[in-house]
Amino acid sequence: MRDLSVSLRSDEGLVQAVRNIGWDIYDGEVLAIVGESGSGKSVSVNTLLGLMRQDVAIVNSGHAEFGGRDLLNLGERELREVRGKDISVIFQDPMASFNPVKTIGDQISEAIRVHDERATRRWAWSRSITLLSMVGVPNPELRCKQYPHQYSGGMRQRAMIAMAMANRPRLLIADEPTTALDMTIQAQIIDVLRLVQKETGGAIVLITHDLGLVAELADRVLVMYAGKIVESAGVVELFASPRHPYTRALLESLPRIGDQSDELRSISGQMPSLVELPEGCAFHPRCSLSHDRQLCRELEPPLQETNSGSERLSACHFSRELDELDIFDR
């Protein structure tokens, strides 16, 4: 992806949902995109697949190359050939994603047969049972005949993952895959996602605000704030030494075993309106590093290498000052 900018129409005006972002992903890699709600995570990937409403979303610029084609220039028919086959999505709310009047088995079978004309109904049904078994759904022969409302939340998420991996996609987009699930089920879903990657050999884009999930699964992390990428780093580097004050604040807000403080840390203030963004760095009104410095107030920092030749990128004028701070020092 290169230079993607997306605006959304609203009653207040045009929302600058995504602003000039770009990234690469490679086979077998897990790329996590993290940030608060409204930071542009889901909008950026949904735009790639033509899943944004055309009367609401405006693609201002950008291109997204996948398999030698620019996804942003494909027609609806061509996108349908890509969706579910080469690129699959695990949506945040599986109950809203399944058809309530069709059985789970019918829906997985349909996903297979749409992209494989040679697949018979019997073979697709057998494959559906196999997929449900692979993702840990008990008694898959019976479960295939059941409807979405007969599944628990965790089982619906497993069924959604089974359908996503049905055609062995090269890229799997997991949009908040553990939201609203308890910790035990979350751990099981993490294991299932690892299985998916082993089964398909493809790449995964993990969209989440759950940093624990990022630590378990991701290879690289993009941190988004107010529609822009503010930091890019390997997962180990990011957790060990963040190079953007927003990333540091996110990590500081995590509870830690053995912490004796009475309250969790939070990030002061709120994310700015994406209709009227402040001048300079969008994070500076909430930043503990800015100290209301003129440079932060007047000039938006570019996303650039933190050190010469480094693959770590940060959009902060004073990122090197973070070397002097210890995020675990309370």
Side-chain angles (χ1 to χ4, degrees), residues 17-283:
V18 176
R19 301 185 291 137
N20 304 106
I21 72 167
W23 43 262
D24 300 304
I25 189 168
Y26 304 94
D27 288 336
E29 183 181 36
V30 179
L31 175 68
I33 305 177
V34 304
E36 293 173 86
S37 297
S39 61
K41 306 185 301 296
S42 296
V43 172
S44 62
V45 294
N46 286 340
T47 299
L48 302 184
L49 298 179
L51 297 177
M52 300 296 296
R53 285 175 48 184
Q54 293 185 1
D55 61 330
V56 173
I58 304 169
V59 179
N60 300 311
S61 66
H63 66 273
E65 184 177 320
F66 180 85
R69 296 190 292 178
D70 186 352
L71 296 176
L72 299 180
N73 286 330
L74 297 184
E76 180 58 30
R77 182 175 181 179
E78 293 172 302
L79 278 173
R80 281 201 302 267
E81 294 174 357
V82 173
R83 291 193 300 248
K85 182 182 180 182
D86 298 318
I87 304 177
S88 289
V89 185
I90 302 170
F91 292 103
Q92 184 172 345
D93 183 1
M95 190 59 186
S97 304
F98 281 116
N99 187 329
V101 298
K102 285 188 175 182
T103 66
I104 294 293
D106 281 337
Q107 295 183 65
I108 298 176
S109 296
E110 182 181 8
I112 295 170
R113 299 187 70 220
V114 161
H115 296 289
D116 186 354
E117 296 178 353
R118 298 171 299 174
T120 64
R121 290 181 181 274
R122 177 174 293 182
W123 185 87
W125 185 266
S126 175
R127 171 74 172 155
S128 300
I129 293 173
T130 300
L131 288 166
L132 288 181
S133 177
M134 288 177 63
V135 298
V137 173
N139 199 355
E141 295 86 355
L142 173 63
R143 289 292 190 176
C144 258
K145 301 174 183 177
Q146 293 182 332
Y147 294 87
H149 74 271
Q150 295 175 287
Y151 279 50
S152 67
M155 287 300 169
R156 279 195 296 268
Q157 193 65 283
R158 289 170 183 264
M160 175 63 66
I161 294 172
M163 187 158 66
M165 64 188 287
N167 295 299
R168 302 178 187 272
R170 290 182 57 197
L171 177 62
L172 178 66
I173 297 171
D175 190 353
E176 300 283 7
T178 59
T179 295
L181 301 178
D182 64 46
M183 295 302 295
T184 301
I185 302 301
Q186 286 185 26
Q188 294 171 359
I189 295 300
I190 289 173
D191 291 337
V192 172
L193 289 173
R194 287 197 180 106
L195 174 66
V196 170
Q197 193 171 32
K198 182 179 180 180
E199 170 72 13
T200 65
I204 297 177
V205 173
L206 176 65
I207 303 169
T208 184
H209 60 267
D210 184 344
L211 292 174
L213 181 61
V214 172
E216 286 282 343
L217 278 177
D219 299 304
R220 285 190 299 124
V221 188
L222 303 177
V223 182
M224 289 192 67
Y225 184 80
K228 295 205 74 169
I229 296 172
V230 296
E231 182 164 5
S232 173
V235 65
V236 174
E237 296 172 313
L238 183 108
F239 277 81
S241 55
R243 286 297 179 271
H244 193 280
Y246 177 60
T247 309
R248 179 174 180 267
L250 287 176
L251 293 174
E252 284 185 330
S253 68
L254 294 175
R256 295 187 178 86
I257 295 175
D259 189 352
Q260 301 299 316
S261 59
D262 294 330
E263 296 182 359
L264 294 175
R265 290 190 179 187
S266 61
I267 305 174
S268 62
Q270 296 181 337
M271 194 162 66
S273 167
L274 297 181
V275 176
E276 295 184 12
L277 286 163
E279 292 186 14
C281 175
F283 187 60

